[in-house]
Amino acid sequence: MSDRFKHKTIAITGGSKGLGLACTRALLDEGARVIVLSRSRGELAPLLEAHTGELFWIATDLADRASVVATFGNIREVCDRIDALVLNAALTAPCAFEELSEQDVLSNLLVNIAGPIYCLQQAAPLMEGGRAIFISSESVDNPVLMLALYASVKAAMETLVKGIRRELYKDRKIQLTILRSGSMEGTAFADHWPQAQREKFFELAASSGTLDETGTPMPIERVVQAVLFILTRPDDAAIHNMDLRSADSF
Ligand SMILES: NC(=O)c1ccc[n+]([C@@H]2O[C@H](COP(=O)([O-])OP(=O)(O)OC[C@H]3O[C@@H](n4cnc5c(N)ncnc54)[C@H](OP(=O)(O)O)[C@@H]3O)[C@@H](O)[C@H]2O)c1
């Protein structure tokens, strides 16, 4: 435990489960004040009890711009600046292309790219310096069967970041980083996948060699360490892209 993040306020989307929750825990351990944006409290309850005054959860639906605007209105009431923003929340479910519903398409677009856009627009005026990390996926490089929509939306997010990097730095000295992660163990990402789609996905992933390519899912802490590394770089150093994979991926 250190106090590297003492007096720092970090907002994180999807900090109630999986990678976001693990980042939230690590940041609190290192002295940060953390604001979590998610639809539900998820697994945050014990941390909320243990970190009164340091951890805040604001119910937010990233797919709904009005919800994001209201959340940042609440944030502005309690703090006058944010030191970093971790755009971590995302969702998807594996689906064959011809079976994608309107809801599948809209939820991927709204949560996985519109959400980060809405959040950064609202957070930027509070940031004046600091960093925003966009959590992306190895699937951008290798869009696997049944997850092409998810991969393409993450790719769009990465292109957006490249396109706005100069503007955000020039106007506000905010550094933007894309952190591409390989598969991780212990997250809730596949928890809501319908059983039949899950079985078909893993069957196809095994037979097409995808599982072999992505390797053994990494411990979640590897990605948490990468997030903390990025957030602790000196202001005169940027990390535009980081690509973190399992040791036996190729
Ligand atoms: N898991 C992997 O192997 C893997 C690999 C590469 C990259 N990634 C990326 O890593 C990031 C974290 O994934 P994870 O596996 O930790 O996911 P996870 O365990 O499923 O957690 C997702 C988080 O996002 C929140 N969320 C979902 N929809 C939301 C919405 N509409 N509004 C607000 N919050 C919402 C969830 O909270 P609520 O449901 O309560 O809203 C939850 O806190 C994602 O960007 C993912 O694409 C994951």
Side-chain angles (χ1 to χ4, degrees), residues 13-20 37-42 60-63 87-91 111 135-138 150 154 181-185 187-190 220:
T13 67
S16 60
K17 296 173 197 161
L19 174 62
L37 282 54
S38 57
R39 292 167 303 176
S40 72
R41 274 192 178 79
T60 312
D61 183 356
L62 297 183
L87 294 160
N88 158 78
L91 52 70
V111 179
I135 304 294
S136 187
S137 160
E138 65 183 342
Y150 166 74
K154 287 289 192 187
S181 172
S183 77
M184 286 170 261
E185 62 185 16
T187 81
F189 202 63
I220 209 165

Side-chain angles (χ1 to χ4, degrees), residues 12 14 16 19 37 45-46 78 99 101 103 107-108 118 132 142 166-167 171 174 184 194 200 207 217 234 237 244 247:
I12 175 161
S16 60
L19 174 62
L37 282 54
V78 291
E99 286 161 23
S101 66
Q103 180 53 32
S107 64
N108 272 269
Y118 299 152
N142 185 9
R166 183 188 296 266
E167 183 181 330
D171 294 350
I174 300 170
M184 286 170 261
K200 194 167 166 203
S207 61
L244 187 68

